[in-house]
Amino acid sequence: MNPVELIRRKRNGEHLSRTELEQFIDGYVKGSLPDYQMTAFLMAVFFQGMTPEETRVFTEVMLHSGEVIDLGTLPGIKVDKHSTGGVGDKVSLILAPMVAACGVPVPMISGRGLGHTGGTLDKLESIPGFRTDLSIEEYKKIVGELGVVLIGQTEKLVPADRKMYALRDVTATVESIPLIAGSIMSKKLAEGIDALVLDIKTGNGAFMKSQEDSLALGSTLVGLGNQMGKKTVGFVTDMSQPLGTKIGNWLEVVESVDCLRGKRIPDLMEVTYVLGGAMVWLGGKAASIHEGMKLCQDAIWSGKAYEKFLQLVTRQGGDSQLLENLDRYPESDHSIDVISPLDGYVAGFDTFGIGVLATELGAGRLKVDDVIDPKAGIQLQKKVGDAVQKGESIATLSTDKSEIIQKAAKRFLACISVKGSAPPVLPAIHKYIDDKGQHPWTAPSLY
Amino acid sequence: MNPVELIRRKRNGEHLSRTELEQFIDGYVKGSLPDYQMTAFLMAVFFQGMTPEETRVFTEVMLHSGEVIDLGTLPGIKVDKHSTGGVGDKVSLILAPMVAACGVPVPMISGRGLGHTGGTLDKLESIPGFRTDLSIEEYKKIVGELGVVLIGQTEKLVPADRKMYALRDVTATVESIPLIAGSIMSKKLAEGIDALVLDIKTGNGAFMKSQEDSLALGSTLVGLGNQMGKKTVGFVTDMSQPLGTKIGNWLEVVESVDCLRGKRIPDLMEVTYVLGGAMVWLGGKAASIHEGMKLCQDAIWSGKAYEKFLQLVTRQGGDSQLLENLDRYPESDHSIDVISPLDGYVAGFDTFGIGVLATELGAGRLKVDDVIDPKAGIQLQKKVGDAVQKGESIATLSTDKSEIIQKAAKRFLACISVKGSAPPVLPAIHKYIDDKGQHPWTAPSLY
């Protein structure tokens, strides 16, 4: 393989063979192919794309750049969920124990937050003692014991993606559907799962801001999963406002515990039940997604999902006693209410702006090595469509950084629009995607 | 400056400011900006291009990344020529002393061959003792003394280009008009010249294979030169067959000496007189290009151009005695005639293929650190339009590599087409470009 010739061919819109992609990516992982040639390839892919066949081969090559976990000795159809990420998205914390409580094993490998989005690992690590850096052996053992495990990426899985993702982040080559699809699907398929449910967020707090881009990514991901022998379905879900009412790591654990104990947070639980219902269906424990949703609701209402969560936290070293006594957790040094300057209805959020604001309050990282403040974050008293009176609080911001809190409150106000009449509220679920195509989502809500 | 944001903006087709380009390129030259981010930028430029204004600013930033030579203390209008490169292009060796003999100072900084094209420095260095690695002080001194000097790039001039060019070569980002234009013009403007004549080669042995691309590059280069305060004109000249009859470093010195002594090699001398005539005109020694061409012809016929060449060779350490006794030069160990298998007319050459073949015989480098064999090369007995009989020699190949010579002769035959009727012969000069636009070239030939 001549790497320059390979880059030139992709640059000119030609298709690369499996052997070419294998040699190129293998050279990169082994260090014989330099970062700058991989960058040239990535930018060429950004502009020229990949055919579905190339995307599949690319994903397979990425997948086989490292270890692929085999969970075949464990009983049951192992199902995971992947979300493209958003603001206030704590679905995994509720979903994983809920689906496991329905008898479907959920071996989940998650990521950290970066930029405006949170990450499941950071949320879990706000629980004192909770360990996400388990070995593959421990991962297998725990999913065998409890039917659920939640860990972080290990060095052994998909090394090509870890190296390429870091490079994409600093070379403006992130926003490419084949590259995103290859990155997501190679990591998920390395987990040893049998089936996968995808949550493709859409709207101003999502990675894909337009419905069109979200559908294109979703279709690519669902197609890839099914072609690679894993039953895969996806949902395009709303991220035009934060999901639920709390943003920030410990705050999201609290909201998750509330929901696991039966609290009704409509948009959050609608998404959680739909995704969970699909997982239970794919896991062979229900005859339809809707039946799966009802089983999930039973798992919540019966307390089994919450019980499973407490077991998981304990098993992974976390202080589950604290979850039973949420108010023992330390609070931020400072908090401020964001007061509505007028009467009206909440018409919309700048969700991306709110995500960045939460990060700056301490809830996330602006750089990879920033330290997270687990207490910091935002609690919403109002969501889109809610009536609000002049002088009423819309949200509460919490932080240890006294120097930024006043300015943060002003910035939050700039991230919200209040109008004279009630706006239409977007549904939580926009579309359903399976191997037959894109479909409207018409199943009755559980609320 | 956030380099990722800058790359993203260029990737999205936005325009970058002078400050942004300065900081980005300065960071790269100083080593704080890594190769992979420069690569991402270069590939984004490949796809998105640059506006004329951006190209000019980019060129200025490149130019000022290092030293800019000041020849203002020397009398006369200093004029140089740049060619985009081709096969058998030894024009500089004849042109520089010829124009200097007309009283126009020619301070010329040239490059080496790479790939299928030869380089002026390699040709000059086939003359025993000839030194091209002179300091800027020596360069200034010699042009002051003789009115002509021919050296190689120094570390001090346009360091940004040297670093970026090496990177472009290995990342498939060479073929971009703004990048090519910035590279060429920054180097030429750093020489301290007042005016510039450009030779944009077109055809299957040129970098730009189509007339359209050649005109686009030529117009960009001429526009840039004039905007940057240097009177600049350009010619699109033919590279659909090798220029002249000899390819290979010492062979091209021999052909240059022959022409300097008055030998008529039509296509080679047509191009040399036109470019030289434009230089003499821009140098203020003639009222028109055509008058300049006649002065050039006088300089050849009077022996003054050849005399100037001998002075130059001697001054730069070369053995000028050898030029007076060309047959004392060692010959290649092996040579072979390429025999025509049929009667007809030479209809065309695969000029790129012939350039590669000459390189493989030893005349060029396939890798940067390959060593050149100055004796090796190709001599053409036939050019396009010439009648050829079955059994007659079309070309002679010379090399020290006995193992490849038979195969090379076969490959040469595959690079030539012989047809039953005489084909049309393309003119040596296709177009003339000045600050007013592109024009047909109608001046009478001197042949």
Side-chain angles (χ1 to χ4, degrees):
Chain A
M1 175 206 58
N2 175 340
V4 183
E5 193 48 32
L6 185 147
I7 297 164
R8 188 189 319 277
R9 291 185 47 229
K10 179 38 74 187
R11 187 199 75 184
N12 292 348
E14 294 179 37
H15 305 155
L16 303 178
S17 71
R18 178 181 294 270
T19 310
E20 286 175 313
L21 287 168
E22 268 172 3
Q23 291 179 346
F24 196 78
I25 290 171
D26 188 57
Y28 184 60
V29 172
K30 291 197 174 133
S32 60
L33 188 113
D35 280 338
Y36 53 80
Q37 288 185 324
M38 179 52 83
T39 301
F41 169 81
L42 294 170
M43 189 61 91
V45 171
F46 177 89
F47 282 100
Q48 295 287 10
M50 283 187 178
T51 62
E53 164 68 10
E54 258 184 316
T55 307
R56 183 175 65 78
V57 169
F58 173 67
T59 306
E60 285 174 3
V61 170
M62 300 267 284
L63 171 62
H64 293 291
S65 70
E67 190 173 331
V68 178
I69 299 175
D70 182 1
L71 297 180
T73 55
L74 297 179
I77 301 170
K78 275 70 70 179
V79 188
D80 192 11
K81 180 225 52 160
H82 178 81
S83 161
T84 58
V87 178
D89 179 7
K90 70 280 292 173
V91 166
S92 291
L93 276 64
I94 312 167
L95 176 96
M98 178 183 80
V99 171
C102 295
V104 175
V106 182
M108 190 179 272
I109 302 186
S110 298
R112 298 196 177 276
L114 192 62
H116 77 290
T117 65
T120 297
L121 297 185
D122 299 323
K123 291 169 197 178
L124 288 169
E125 288 177 357
S126 75
I127 302 169
F130 196 100
R131 284 185 56 216
T132 61
D133 59 341
L134 304 185
S135 68
I136 292 173
E137 289 64 39
E138 289 176 287
Y139 163 87
K140 285 183 180 181
K141 200 170 165 211
I142 296 174
V143 74
E145 285 168 25
L146 297 184
V148 61
V149 64
L150 275 161
I151 70 163
Q153 277 295 319
T154 86
E155 298 267 313
K156 291 179 183 171
L157 302 183
V158 201
D161 179 69
R162 203 167 30 262
K163 208 172 163 187
M164 280 165 67
Y165 197 88
L167 189 62
R168 285 167 61 204
D169 199 43
V170 294
T171 55
T173 50
V174 170
E175 303 94 327
S176 155
I177 284 181
L179 297 180
I180 295 169
S183 171
I184 291 175
M185 295 306 284
S186 61
K187 281 185 291 197
K188 285 288 140 184
L189 297 179
E191 290 177 351
I193 54 172
D194 303 303
L196 180 64
V197 174
L198 294 158
D199 180 6
I200 299 105
K201 301 288 186 196
T202 194
N204 64 14
F207 196 68
M208 293 286 169
K209 309 225 173 331
S210 75
Q211 182 89 357
E212 191 189 346
D213 287 347
S214 306
L215 282 168
L217 176 61
S219 295
T220 299
L221 293 171
V222 168
L224 263 180
N226 286 301
Q227 281 163 36
M228 293 172 77
K230 310 295 175 187
K231 188 119 184 146
T232 305
V233 299
F235 296 88
V236 175
T237 73
D238 193 64
M239 189 38 69
S240 64
Q241 61 177 329
L243 194 60
T245 65
K246 296 186 203 288
I247 305 150
N249 298 286
W250 173 251
L251 292 172
E252 294 192 41
V253 169
V254 170
E255 186 161 44
S256 300
V257 166
D258 286 346
C259 289
L260 282 162
R261 287 178 183 158
K263 185 169 178 181
R264 295 185 169 199
I265 310 274
D267 60 345
L268 172 59
M269 286 310 292
E270 177 83 29
V271 170
T272 304
Y273 280 143
V274 169
L275 296 171
M279 290 172 77
V280 172
W281 168 61
L282 289 178
K285 299 292 183 187
S288 67
I289 295 175
H290 199 247
E291 191 186 310
M293 289 169 67
K294 286 186 197 152
L295 291 176
C296 287
Q297 197 175 40
D298 290 345
I300 296 283
W301 287 358
S302 66
K304 285 182 187 162
Y306 181 50
E307 186 58 35
K308 186 62 79 178
F309 184 62
L310 293 178
Q311 288 170 9
L312 175 73
V313 169
T314 304
R315 183 67 183 79
Q316 293 195 215
D319 180 358
S320 58
Q321 286 301 312
L322 188 63
L323 300 179
E324 302 276 53
N325 300 277
L326 295 168
D327 51 6
R328 282 200 209 148
Y329 205 78
E331 289 192 353
S332 288
D333 293 347
H334 306 280
S335 73
I336 191 168
D337 288 336
V338 180
I339 301 300
S340 178
L342 69 170
D343 291 341
Y345 295 87
V346 176
F349 290 97
D350 169 2
T351 316
F352 177 84
I354 289 173
V356 172
L357 194 62
T359 294
E360 293 177 14
L361 292 169
R365 297 178 190 82
L366 290 170
K367 297 193 304 291
V368 178
D369 51 358
D370 281 350
V371 175
I372 282 180
D373 172 6
K375 311 178 302 302
I378 299 172
Q379 298 182 67
L380 303 176
Q381 283 92 36
K382 303 287 176 184
K383 299 264 293 182
V384 172
D386 287 350
V388 60
Q389 288 183 310
K390 186 176 172 180
E392 201 179 359
S393 176
I394 298 170
T396 305
L397 316 184
S398 305
T399 183
D400 285 351
K401 305 179 188 172
S402 64
E403 69 283 8
I404 63 163
I405 194 161
Q406 293 291 342
K407 210 169 162 187
K410 275 189 198 143
R411 276 182 46 204
F412 188 95
L413 259 188
C415 289
I416 188 165
S417 87
V418 175
K419 291 196 174 157
S421 59
V425 179
L426 291 171
I429 314 290
H430 293 217
K431 289 269 185 184
Y432 170 58
I433 306 173
D434 63 13
D435 56 357
K436 292 177 195 65
Q438 302 166 358
H439 315 278
W441 180 246
T442 53
S445 166
L446 294 185
Y447 287 101
Chain B
M1 174 207 56
N2 175 339
V4 183
E5 193 49 32
L6 185 147
I7 298 163
R8 187 189 320 276
R9 291 185 47 226
K10 177 40 75 188
R11 188 199 74 183
N12 292 348
E14 294 179 36
H15 306 153
L16 303 179
S17 70
R18 176 180 295 271
T19 309
E20 286 174 311
L21 287 167
E22 269 172 3
Q23 290 179 347
F24 196 78
I25 291 172
D26 189 56
Y28 184 60
V29 172
K30 292 197 174 132
S32 60
L33 189 113
D35 280 339
Y36 54 79
Q37 288 186 325
M38 179 53 84
T39 301
F41 169 81
L42 293 169
M43 189 62 92
V45 170
F46 177 89
F47 282 99
Q48 295 287 10
M50 283 187 179
T51 63
E53 165 69 10
E54 257 184 316
T55 307
R56 183 174 66 76
V57 169
F58 173 66
T59 306
E60 285 174 4
V61 170
M62 301 266 285
L63 171 63
H64 293 291
S65 69
E67 190 172 332
V68 178
I69 298 174
D70 182 2
L71 297 178
T73 55
L74 297 179
I77 300 171
K78 275 70 71 181
V79 188
D80 192 10
K81 179 224 50 158
H82 179 81
S83 160
T84 58
V87 178
D89 179 8
K90 70 280 290 174
V91 167
S92 291
L93 276 64
I94 313 167
L95 176 96
M98 177 183 81
V99 171
C102 296
V104 175
V106 182
M108 190 178 272
I109 302 185
S110 298
R112 298 197 177 275
L114 191 62
H116 77 291
T117 66
T120 297
L121 297 185
D122 299 323
K123 293 168 196 178
L124 289 168
E125 288 177 357
S126 74
I127 304 169
F130 197 101
R131 284 185 57 215
T132 61
D133 60 340
L134 304 185
S135 68
I136 292 173
E137 289 63 40
E138 288 176 288
Y139 163 87
K140 285 183 180 180
K141 199 170 166 209
I142 296 174
V143 74
E145 284 170 25
L146 298 183
V148 61
V149 65
L150 275 161
I151 69 163
Q153 278 295 319
T154 85
E155 297 267 313
K156 291 180 182 171
L157 301 183
V158 200
D161 180 68
R162 203 168 28 262
K163 209 171 163 189
M164 280 166 67
Y165 197 87
L167 189 62
R168 285 167 60 204
D169 200 42
V170 293
T171 55
T173 50
V174 170
E175 304 93 328
S176 155
I177 285 181
L179 298 180
I180 294 169
S183 172
I184 291 175
M185 295 306 284
S186 61
K187 280 184 292 197
K188 285 289 140 183
L189 297 179
E191 290 177 349
I193 54 173
D194 303 304
L196 179 63
V197 174
L198 294 159
D199 181 6
I200 299 106
K201 301 289 186 197
T202 194
N204 64 15
F207 197 67
M208 292 287 169
K209 311 231 173 322
S210 75
Q211 181 90 357
E212 190 189 346
D213 286 347
S214 306
L215 283 168
L217 176 60
S219 295
T220 299
L221 292 171
V222 168
L224 262 180
N226 286 299
Q227 280 161 35
M228 294 174 76
K230 311 293 175 187
K231 189 119 183 146
T232 305
V233 300
F235 297 88
V236 175
T237 74
D238 193 65
M239 189 39 69
S240 65
Q241 61 177 325
L243 194 61
T245 65
K246 294 185 203 290
I247 305 150
N249 297 286
W250 173 250
L251 292 172
E252 294 192 42
V253 169
V254 170
E255 186 162 45
S256 300
V257 167
D258 286 346
C259 289
L260 282 162
R261 287 176 182 159
K263 186 169 179 180
R264 294 184 172 200
I265 310 274
D267 61 344
L268 172 59
M269 286 311 290
E270 178 81 28
V271 171
T272 305
Y273 280 143
V274 169
L275 296 172
M279 290 173 77
V280 172
W281 168 62
L282 289 178
K285 300 292 183 185
S288 68
I289 295 175
H290 199 246
E291 191 186 309
M293 288 169 68
K294 287 185 196 155
L295 290 176
C296 286
Q297 197 175 40
D298 291 345
I300 296 283
W301 287 358
S302 66
K304 285 181 187 164
Y306 181 50
E307 186 56 35
K308 186 63 81 180
F309 184 63
L310 293 177
Q311 287 170 10
L312 174 74
V313 169
T314 304
R315 184 66 182 79
Q316 293 195 217
D319 180 358
S320 59
Q321 286 300 311
L322 189 63
L323 300 180
E324 302 276 52
N325 301 277
L326 294 168
D327 51 7
R328 283 200 208 147
Y329 204 79
E331 289 191 355
S332 288
D333 292 347
H334 306 279
S335 73
I336 191 169
D337 287 336
V338 181
I339 303 300
S340 179
L342 68 170
D343 291 339
Y345 295 87
V346 175
F349 290 97
D350 169 2
T351 316
F352 177 84
I354 289 173
V356 172
L357 195 61
T359 294
E360 293 178 16
L361 291 169
R365 295 177 191 84
L366 290 170
K367 297 194 303 292
V368 179
D369 52 358
D370 282 350
V371 175
I372 281 179
D373 171 7
K375 310 178 303 300
I378 299 171
Q379 299 182 67
L380 303 176
Q381 282 93 35
K382 302 288 176 184
K383 299 263 293 181
V384 172
D386 287 350
V388 62
Q389 290 183 308
K390 186 175 170 179
E392 200 179 1
S393 175
I394 298 171
T396 306
L397 317 185
S398 306
T399 183
D400 285 352
K401 305 177 188 173
S402 64
E403 69 281 9
I404 64 164
I405 194 161
Q406 293 292 342
K407 209 167 163 188
K410 275 189 199 145
R411 276 184 42 205
F412 188 94
L413 258 189
C415 289
I416 188 164
S417 87
V418 175
K419 291 197 172 155
S421 58
V425 179
L426 292 171
I429 313 289
H430 293 216
K431 288 271 185 181
Y432 170 57
I433 306 174
D434 64 13
D435 55 358
K436 291 177 196 67
Q438 302 165 358
H439 315 280
W441 180 245
T442 53
S445 165
L446 295 183
Y447 286 99

